Amino acid sequence: MGDIKPGYIRQIDLKRGVVDMGHGSGGRAMAQLIEELFAAALSNDYLAQGNDGALLPPAAGRLVMATDSHVVSPLFFPGGDIGCLAVHGTINDVAVMGARPLYLAASFILESGFPLADLKRIVDSMARAAREAGIPIVTGDTKVVEQGKGDGVFITTTGVGVVADGLTLSGDRARPGDAVLLSGTIGDHGMAIMSQRENLSFEAPIESDTAALHGLIADMLVTGADIRLMRDPTRGGLAATLNEIASQSSVGIQLEEAAIPVKPAVEAVCELLGLDPLNVANEGKLIAVCAMGDAERLLGVMRAHPLGKQAALIGQVIEDRRGFVQMKTRFGGRRMVDWLSGEQLPRIC
Amino acid sequence: MKYVDEFRDGDLARTIAANIAGEVRPEQRYYLMEFCGGHTHAISRYGLVDLLPSAVRLIHGPGCPVCVLPIGRVDQAIRLALEHEVTLCTYGDCLRVPASGGLSLLKAKARGADVRMVYSTLDALKLAQTQPQRQVVFFAIGFETTTPPTAVALRQAWALGLNNFSVLCNHVLTPAAMHAILADQGGARLGGFIGPAHVSTVIGSRPYEPFAHDYGKPVVIAGFEPLDVMQAILMLVRQINAGRAEVENEFTRAVSRDGNLKAQALVDEVFELRGRFEWRGLGSIAQSALKLRPAYAGFDAELRFGLEDKPVADNKACECGAILRGEKRPQDCKIFGNVCTPENPVGACMVSSEGACAAHYTYGRFKDAVRVA
Ligand code: SF4
């Protein structure tokens, strides 16, 4: 691009312009969008290589790779937007594998007619999230679809990380007697989105918890505690994630409702909409299953980190080959915590 | 926010539970029917059965609107959408109710029928206004709580002179179903009723008085919070022990003896009693449902499209009928959880989260005998 004199090109109009089919056609308009909007915000040495892929140095250890597509609506919500969400989500997917995230890739599907000003806000937010996390977006792609065939912006991010020798976290490692830890309140992200969508207004809006968890996870790993697995309970909420673990490990899980932190505002909106916070998405929380003997120590470390202040022991793994998750309710009764069935919750992550 | 916590306090629940346990007579059986699906859901979701002594058994009643909707009526709605090519609007829960020929409204939609989920009757009305060239039918279901909004929509349609809006009316009446249950032989076993919360805010507590006076069954109207339910059970146990049969109101914060007179007048202006209506599980019950008054006949989808009412038998394996009558429990159905699941409901009790089978599947099935896949 260096040989085109900027003076001879009309700069793209980031205030009033919109995405059009030309921005995805491989022509000059696309090059310009990438240069002036994406590269300008995300700049790093790998992206600056300007090739079809990023050439990366050898990694020290086993690689972990994860990918995640983001289709949230609305694109901007209290506490975040689709941009930082796309960065955090993939960092977390890599990090809960016990890996140190190294690089991200980002791929955009833009709907023709989408305001460039909004796109810039989103890309700037991604850049900020990546910078704060210390993980560069090293390569990317953009496609444009006709109006009506997308929902503004879809973003897919892919992440790569390395995992230390001897460490294997996996969903099939939970054993009866293990402790189930949760890093904080549940349902914040999903309810932040839903309350926007349902036009429910509150004195203080519910904010999404979107955050990158690799720092917290690194602190947890250094303790050397016997962590069997970690997960971030996103879509489907705590209930879906625990059911996955139970069925992967062929064990049951017994939860204590009173121990599960839920913000009063989240609880109130759930009540209003007939939802269960256990089924609602989180974007900055993790579940760790560890040896019961290490639980207290691990909780201490989690609570010392800003993203784990409300960490709690919420239950334990029990023997049950059917893989059922059950819960002692605040009333002392027992019930099952099942997957969500059928209900079409709108797009949230 | 305060509201939620106040009525869900665990310690209070344990105190009430201890009182119930202290007052039941061990030799006596207390069969109590919670009429409403809202109560069924609360009981399952909070695991209240675990707090009750074994002498108290809760029987899930038929107060779940989609559960009592007979197949034949859903078939009518599907025919309207597929053959008469109308825009059919209804509440979300109705979409998945299984009908004849393996169809449901959702499956009809996949075949190209114009089926829309609406949150209120007024959404359907708006749709009729925005597409005047198309017939819009609102598939109306529910007990006394959903009837007034349907009446409002019909009044508005009348005022606007809309000729492309009509209602396929399936509104049913709570007291009529309770009569039917008591008239049935199984009814004798019932010790009393936990009366509906929201329905009673509309109709008041007076319509339950015959159950106490004529049948000798105590009725305690209760809110939907778990503590309301526990308190109502305690009140029923006390009435039974004292040999009393009265209508008591645990839910005084919302229910009066007369109910909401304005809503009742509105309903009365638009609707009249139907001669008979088919209930899934309970059969045909006289004067148990509503239809549009002659003045509103122009908005009656049954008349406008000449729909005939063909009763259709339920799936043979489905025990919904016996469950709605309180004779069987969901886990007694042979296809519970293996063929019939919330993802693929065979019977209507598995469709709504208020249905007895869905509630047991979602919250209670871990207590059943171990079945390892
Ligand atoms: S499990 Fe399904 S088929 Fe059996 S009674 Fe319940 S709804 Fe009917």
Side-chain angles (χ1 to χ4, degrees), chain A residues 25-42:
Chain A
S25 65
R28 183 174 292 138
M30 182 172 115
Q32 206 184 353
L33 183 73
I34 291 174
E35 179 86 15
E36 290 177 25
L37 202 152
F38 290 101
L42 301 171

Side-chain angles (χ1 to χ4, degrees), chain B residues 104-128:
Chain B
S104 64
L105 280 167
L106 205 60
K107 286 181 186 153
K109 187 181 164 88
R111 289 193 186 175
D114 186 6
V115 176
R116 315 265 183 105
M117 181 181 113
V118 293
Y119 289 100
S120 87
T121 52
L122 298 183
D123 292 345
L125 204 64
K126 231 178 275 157
L127 217 53

Side-chain angles (χ1 to χ4, degrees), chain A residues 8 11 26 29 35-36 70 78 93 96-97 106 111 116 123 133 150 180 198 208-209 243 295-296 302 319-320 337:
Chain A
Y8 292 112
Q11 293 231 320
E35 179 86 15
E36 290 177 25
H70 300 267
D93 283 349
V96 292
M97 296 290 296
E111 185 183 4
L116 289 174
V123 175
V180 181
E198 306 278 329
S208 166
D209 56 350
N243 272 286
E296 270 312 312
M302 292 169 79
E319 197 117 22
D320 185 350
V337 175

Side-chain angles (χ1 to χ4, degrees), chain A residues 264 268 271 276 321-322 324 326 329-336 338 341, chain B residues 1 8 10 13-14 45-47 50-51 342-343 362-363 365-368:
Chain A
E271 188 65 22
D276 191 331
R321 284 180 49 214
R322 302 168 303 176
F324 283 161
Q326 48 175 292
T329 72
R330 271 172 294 177
F331 293 88
R334 288 180 313 148
R335 66 121 144 154
M336 205 165 127
D338 207 358
S341 68
Chain B
M1 269 164 240
R8 294 224 174 129
R14 277 180 282 275
R45 175 165 169 187
Y46 297 99
D50 291 335
L51 300 179
E343 283 77 19
T362 308
Y363 298 121
R365 74 180 192 277
F366 72 97
K367 291 176 189 165
D368 298 345

Side-chain angles (χ1 to χ4, degrees), chain B residues 318-320 323 333 335-336 340 346-350 357:
Chain B
C318 179
E319 301 278 13
C320 273
I323 291 168
C333 171
I335 58 174
F336 173 84
C340 184
V346 173
C349 301
M350 193 57 104
C357 293

Side-chain angles (χ1 to χ4, degrees), chain A residues 194-222:
Chain A
M194 300 279 267
S195 53
Q196 282 293 95
R197 210 168 342 199
E198 306 278 329
N199 260 324
L200 304 171
S201 46
F202 298 91
E203 287 157 38
I206 298 173
E207 292 208 348
S208 166
D209 56 350
T210 179
L213 294 166
H214 60 309
L216 170 62
I217 290 173
D219 288 359
M220 292 167 69
L221 292 174
V222 221

